[in-house]
Amino acid sequence: MKSKKIAVILPAYNEEITIRETILAFYKELPQAEFWIVDNNSSDRTNSIATETLKKNKIKGKVLSESRQGKANAVRKAFFHADADIYVMTDADTTYPAEEVHKLIGALETEELDMVVGDRLSQGIYHKENKRRFHSLGNNLVIAIINLLFGAKLKDAMSGYRVFSRKFIKNYPVLSSGFELEIEMTLHSLDKRFAIREIPISYKDRPAGSVSKLNTISDGYRVVNHILWIFKDYKPMHFFGFLSVLSLLAAVAAGAPAIVDFLRYRYVYHVPLAVLATGLMVVAVLNFSIGLILHTVSKIQRFNFELQLLKFDKS
């Protein structure tokens, strides 16, 4: 562990109440680590408090500024600047226990994993501590969809407490901009066959005066929308195949009266339905063809990614 370079990534947006405590807690556990705090366009004293904390306690690290709003934008900037063997990402709101970072890092090293996720949900503490209505429902929906798509058995796909290998970070393009980051990380690791493991951790809600930046309704819509788009990108045959089946069923339902007319009278009286059925059948064929083509493209992309990993220099 002492020979490994560790980077602690702390994206922060208006966290003046908790940023100092978070930095010191992780510094206590990882005094050799380099800290990268990213002020994500905060309007409070987050930046100055973080800078003062690093300087006063002689902590190795830097406070970066990212004006583009969104957690993913902040983390992307930190990943670009930080250079380490092990990367620790956590929220700057004291909700994740710093003392449990050793479990995550230990698993990453001993089991040669690429990503270790702090699982908040298995022990049931998150549901007791979290005060946001319907938030747990949204988590469960996302996890269920991911497990269905990839045949996985994940329990907490949206945890913000993660430890990464250098190989994962240097082969992971951050494409999202907001809090969908954790979903994107999880899906990237599953699709590209990175070694991932979840380890149960404790969790506590934000302290008094610290306000969550999440909105259950709007953010829930964004998560589901993001999942659907990733469904299309990662599993195109499933996505367009499903649309093809829907169009096919609709075509059969619309064309049934026209078929009955022809069988009975050798004449089609429901001409509009016959035209509609023909159009829907064309749409079904097109969706199936698109899905097949994109499935092939996706397979080629995964092949090229595997070649890229073989050329990756771990040093």
Side-chain angles (χ1 to χ4, degrees), residues 25-26 29 96-104 161 202 204:
F26 277 90
E29 303 298 328
Y96 294 111
E99 61 272 14
E100 297 197 38
V101 71
H102 303 290
K103 292 196 304 183
L104 306 186
Y161 197 7
S202 57
K204 63 179 181 178

Side-chain angles (χ1 to χ4, degrees), residues 11-136:
Y13 170 57
N14 288 345
E15 300 288 5
E16 65 177 6
I17 295 177
T18 57
I19 186 65
R20 178 184 286 109
E21 183 180 347
T22 303
I23 294 173
L24 293 178
F26 277 90
Y27 176 64
K28 179 181 178 183
E29 303 298 328
L30 301 170
Q32 80 277 27
E34 187 173 23
F35 283 72
W36 295 91
I37 298 93
V38 186
D39 173 23
N40 193 200
N41 203 28
S42 298
S43 58
D44 62 5
R45 297 177 59 242
T46 296
N47 193 306
S48 59
I49 292 176
T51 302
E52 177 190 356
T53 303
L54 293 181
K55 184 176 181 180
K56 183 177 180 180
N57 295 276
K58 298 180 180 179
I59 300 173
K60 184 180 180 182
K62 189 174 182 180
V63 179
L64 304 173
S65 295
E66 176 54 67
S67 59
R68 292 169 295 182
Q69 205 68 54
K71 181 178 180 179
N73 287 326
V75 172
R76 177 176 177 269
K77 187 158 194 172
F79 285 171
F80 180 79
H81 286 275
D83 185 60
D85 301 307
I86 299 171
Y87 294 76
V88 178
M89 184 187 79
T90 185
D91 292 341
D93 54 12
T94 69
T95 55
Y96 294 111
E99 61 272 14
E100 297 197 38
V101 71
H102 303 290
K103 292 196 304 183
L104 306 186
I105 294 178
L108 186 86
E109 289 288 275
T110 58
E111 300 178 34
E112 296 185 351
L113 301 172
D114 296 300
M115 179 167 68
V116 181
V117 182
D119 171 17
R120 308 161 295 173
L121 306 181
S122 293
Q123 297 179 341
I125 300 174
Y126 178 79
H127 301 292
K128 296 178 182 178
E129 289 288 331
N130 181 42
K131 305 300 189 300
R132 285 163 284 176
R133 296 181 61 189
F134 306 116
H135 195 70
S136 295

Side-chain angles (χ1 to χ4, degrees), residues 96 124 139 200 262:
Y96 294 111
N139 275 340
F262 184 78

